[in-house]
């Protein structure tokens, strides 16, 4: 805090002095500024609209954001990008469409590095961040998005907070809040409903894969789950299993963990770090999930530099990381962010946890996916490919790929030679594609013999 010892009433007075309208607040943005919106639920709504209204007054405004959960006015109002240039650290479905239309540019990163990239490299002229209401001690919490938000605010020359009365007040281990003395302006947004991501427990294929993964999880394991129907299916199945004393240490807190908690599976009693605490970095999901977050000392929010650090993860025995992907090639390279040059999402924390889970005593990194998908023409395609398509980004290199699972089985690739990897992966492919994959493996000189029955 910038202030010295001060009475609580003076925090309220400071709040009132700094409170302005959104239109007034965005006047501090000047030509050529770098503006930061933060990520997911921390992205502003009323400030975004007010900034967009200044498009004819400003020039060359660069705006960083990530995982947008609602439309951005600066993009809708300036589709030719004459004033605003939007950039994104990780693509949501909405962001993906913008990227495909040339309306947003991707910023590559490993998620654990995001706070240090801001601290050591980037410039931020103005940060516009959504927060929960101020408490009696003068603190606002970053709500469901702790992530790198504190470092963004520390680096910014000017900080504007958009106060959302509907945002949950989160408790945490570090960097989950900001004090009124460290803020330049405050804008009251009223009560804007939190973005809802409906919980889906997966389809039959997801549940088939989840059953196999469940067998790999021991009592007392600490879990990380990725986004989507397949990780949700695993979480739902864990909730209905007889597994005991599971822990949570995850970059994204999703409803699957709430379900495990409600069924008595998630206790965090066996963790060597943050025992009795469920650790997370950002959250998005149902209204009930946000209610669970609110003022809950059981849930400990940390910056992603802590949550995703492989050296931290390695200290948690039996750490099980479960993530999805787009495709895997016969060498074991995993892509989770692009198909060719078509951008889909981002690296996120998948490599962070693939590394950390492998370092953990008894730990396992599991990349799980459907063996096939149906393309736009209605044709079935294999997600296990001879090689990744040209331009496809490798998210997990072959040297760090551990377990791989489809509806046809699960295999450990760590320590396997190229011919062993090819054999294991072909066994996980849809039967209709195996013969062609064998031919490709033979051409690559990585096929020793066929194990077809």
């Amino acid at each position: 805090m910038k202030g010295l010892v001060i009475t609580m009433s003076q925090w309220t007075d400071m709040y009132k002095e700094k409170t302005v309208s959104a239109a007034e607040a965005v006047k501090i943005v000047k030509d050529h500024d770098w503006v930061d919106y933060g990520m997911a639920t921390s992205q502003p709504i009323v400030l975004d609209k007010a900034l967009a209204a200044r498009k004819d007054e400003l020039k060359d405004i660069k705006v960083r954001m990530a995982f947008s959960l609602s439309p951005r006015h600066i993009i809708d109002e300036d589709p030719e990008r004459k004033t605003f240039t939007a950039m994104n650290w990780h693509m949501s479905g909405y962001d993906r469409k913008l990227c495909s239309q040339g309306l947003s540019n991707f910023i590559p990163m490993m998620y654990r590095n995001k706070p240090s990239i801001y601290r050591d490299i980037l410039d931020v002229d103005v940060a516009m961040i959504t927060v929960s209401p101020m408490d009696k001690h003068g603190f606002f919490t970053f709500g469901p998005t702790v992530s790198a938000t504190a470092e963004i605010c520390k680096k910014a020359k000017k900080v504007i907070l958009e106060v959302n009365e509907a945002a949950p007040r989160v408790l945490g281990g570090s960097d989950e809040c900001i004090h009124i003395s460290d803020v330049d302006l405050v804008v009251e947004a009223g009560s804007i409903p939190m973005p809802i991501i409906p919980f889906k427990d997966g389809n039959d294929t997801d549940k088939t894969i989840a059953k196999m993964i469940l067998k790999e999880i021991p009592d007392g394991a600490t879990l990380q789950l990725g986004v989507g129907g397949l990780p949700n299916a695993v979480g739902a199945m864990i909730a209905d299993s007889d597994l005991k004393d599971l822990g949570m240490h995850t970059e994204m807190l999703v409803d699957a963990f709430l379900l495990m908690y409600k069924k008595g599976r998630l206790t965090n009693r066996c963790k060597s770090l943050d025992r009795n605490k469920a650790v997370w970095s950002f959250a998005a999901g149902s209204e009930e999930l946000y209610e669970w977050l609110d003022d809950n000392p059981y849930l400990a929010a940390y910056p992603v530099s802590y949550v995703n650090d492989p050296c931290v993860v390695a200290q948690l025995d039996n750490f099980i990381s479960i993530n999805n992907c787009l495709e895997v090639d016969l060498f074991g390279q995993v892509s989770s962010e692009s198909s060719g040059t078509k951008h889909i999402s981002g690296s996120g924390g998948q490599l962070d946890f693939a590394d950390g889970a492998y370092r953990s005593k008894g730990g396992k990194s599991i990349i799980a996916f459907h063996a096939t998908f149906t393309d736009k023409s209605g044709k079935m395609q294999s997600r296990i490919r001879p090689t990744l398509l040209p331009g496809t980004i490798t998210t997990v290199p072959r040297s760090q790929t551990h377990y791989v699972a489809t509806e046809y089985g699960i295999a450990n690739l760590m320590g396997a030679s190229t011919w062993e990897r090819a054999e294991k992966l072909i066994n996980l492919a849809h039967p209709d594609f195996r013969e062609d994959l064998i031919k490709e493996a033979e051409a690559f000189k990585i096929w020793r013999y066929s194990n077809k029955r």
Side-chain angles (χ1 to χ4, degrees):
M1 289 183 288
K2 296 174 183 174
L4 300 174
V5 176
I6 196 166
T7 66
M8 293 178 185
S9 64
Q10 286 175 293
W11 296 140
T12 303
D13 292 341
M14 188 180 292
Y15 177 94
K16 290 178 180 177
E17 290 170 4
K18 295 182 178 184
T19 300
V20 297
S21 68
E24 186 68 24
V26 298
K27 288 181 181 179
I28 67 173
V29 178
K30 307 300 182 186
D31 291 347
H32 311 296
D33 271 358
W34 285 89
V35 176
D36 212 289
Y37 274 11
M39 174 182 175
T41 59
S42 74
Q43 292 190 53
I45 303 297
V46 299
L47 284 168
D48 173 47
K49 188 174 183 179
L51 183 61
R54 293 194 64 202
K55 69 172 182 143
D56 295 329
E57 306 169 20
L58 295 167
K59 61 182 179 182
D60 187 32
I61 305 301
K62 288 84 63 177
V63 184
R64 300 187 192 98
M65 61 189 75
F67 204 64
S68 303
L69 299 176
S70 60
R72 302 289 95 205
H73 289 283
I74 58 166
I75 296 173
D76 291 344
E77 297 299 322
D78 185 25
E80 296 180 350
R81 308 183 86 181
K82 291 182 178 180
T83 301
F84 303 107
T85 301
M87 289 153 286
N88 202 298
W89 294 99
H90 193 89
M91 302 286 180
S92 65
Y94 166 77
D95 297 318
R96 187 181 309 139
K97 292 178 183 177
L98 297 180
C99 187
S100 68
Q101 297 168 19
L103 297 177
S104 181
N105 298 100
F106 181 65
I107 314 170
M109 67 157 175
M110 289 180 64
Y111 194 19
R112 72 171 181 260
N113 292 337
K114 189 177 180 184
S116 65
I117 292 172
Y118 275 99
R119 184 185 66 239
D120 300 332
I121 299 173
L122 299 180
D123 290 322
V124 181
D125 294 298
V126 182
M128 301 182 183
I129 303 295
T130 293
V131 294
S132 67
M134 189 179 81
D135 66 17
K136 64 183 180 181
H137 304 292
F139 285 97
F140 308 81
T141 79
F142 294 127
T145 305
V146 174
S147 188
T149 313
E151 289 296 344
I152 293 171
C153 292
K154 290 173 188 175
K155 193 62 177 286
K157 297 180 180 72
K158 298 289 184 180
V159 176
I160 310 174
L161 298 186
E162 179 172 306
V163 179
N164 182 3
E165 294 175 5
R169 177 176 178 267
V170 305
L171 305 179
S174 66
D175 281 349
E176 79 281 5
C177 58
I178 186 170
H179 195 264
I180 183 63
S181 60
D182 295 320
V183 174
D184 295 282
L185 297 171
V186 175
V187 172
E188 295 179 332
S191 183
I192 300 175
M194 300 301 293
I196 302 299
I197 299 178
F199 177 80
K200 298 178 181 179
D201 63 359
N203 57 29
D204 290 343
T205 302
D206 293 326
K207 293 173 183 177
T208 297
I209 299 170
K211 286 180 182 177
M212 289 183 285
I213 292 175
L214 198 66
K215 297 175 183 177
E216 303 295 329
I217 305 174
D219 288 338
T222 297
L223 305 177
Q224 177 264 327
L225 297 179
V227 186
L230 182 47
N232 279 341
V234 175
M237 198 162 287
I238 290 171
D240 290 329
S241 73
D242 59 358
L243 284 169
K244 300 176 181 65
D245 291 327
L246 298 175
M248 183 186 96
H249 184 103
T250 188
E251 63 180 24
M252 185 174 184
L253 174 54
V254 294
D255 279 89
F257 286 108
L258 173 57
L259 188 58
M260 284 184 252
Y261 175 76
K262 290 166 66 176
K263 295 289 184 73
R265 306 296 164 213
L266 194 68
T267 69
N268 292 285
R269 291 173 185 161
C270 298
K271 294 167 68 180
S272 55
L273 291 177
D274 303 298
R275 185 165 294 177
N276 300 314
K277 296 283 187 176
V279 171
W280 61 284
S281 192
F282 81 101
S286 67
E287 184 175 349
E288 186 180 10
L289 182 72
Y290 297 125
E291 291 174 357
W292 190 41
L293 281 176
D294 188 48
D295 206 24
N296 187 346
Y298 180 72
L299 301 171
Y302 281 89
V304 72
S305 52
Y306 174 79
V307 176
N308 285 38
D309 185 342
C311 295
V312 172
V313 174
Q315 297 175 61
L316 294 159
D317 291 350
N318 297 310
F319 192 97
I320 309 297
S321 169
I322 303 166
N323 288 288
N324 212 331
C325 76
L326 296 172
E327 57 187 50
V328 177
D329 72 12
L330 291 180
F331 296 92
Q333 298 183 109
V334 177
S335 176
S336 302
E337 50 195 293
S338 80
S339 180
T341 57
K342 181 182 179 182
H343 200 90
I344 305 297
S345 58
S347 301
Q350 189 165 112
L351 183 54
D352 297 336
F353 285 107
D355 185 7
Y358 179 72
R359 297 188 197 192
S360 161
K361 182 180 179 182
K364 297 171 185 175
S365 164
I366 302 173
I367 303 295
F369 57 100
H370 294 191
T372 64
F373 69 97
T374 302
D375 64 21
K376 291 182 178 180
S377 67
K379 185 178 180 181
M380 185 173 69
Q381 301 283 355
S382 177
R383 291 194 184 276
I384 296 177
R385 306 181 55 84
T387 59
L388 299 181
L389 290 172
T392 296
I393 305 302
T394 300
T395 308
V396 180
R398 62 182 182 174
S399 53
Q400 196 58 55
T401 305
H402 197 184
Y403 283 82
V404 176
T406 74
E407 62 269 38
Y408 296 101
I410 186 166
N412 183 357
L413 301 188
M414 195 64 75
S417 66
T418 52
W419 73 261
E420 290 173 296
R421 286 165 178 258
E423 186 175 290
K424 289 181 178 186
L425 287 164
I426 290 171
N427 282 334
L428 301 183
H430 189 287
D432 289 355
F433 295 96
R434 292 178 188 175
E435 195 62 46
D436 287 340
L437 288 170
I438 289 171
K439 291 178 181 177
E440 294 286 355
E442 288 174 335
F444 296 156
K445 310 300 184 201
I446 58 172
W447 187 253
R448 192 170 72 114
Y449 58 81
S450 173
N451 65 351
K452 292 188 298 180
R453 300 292 185 265

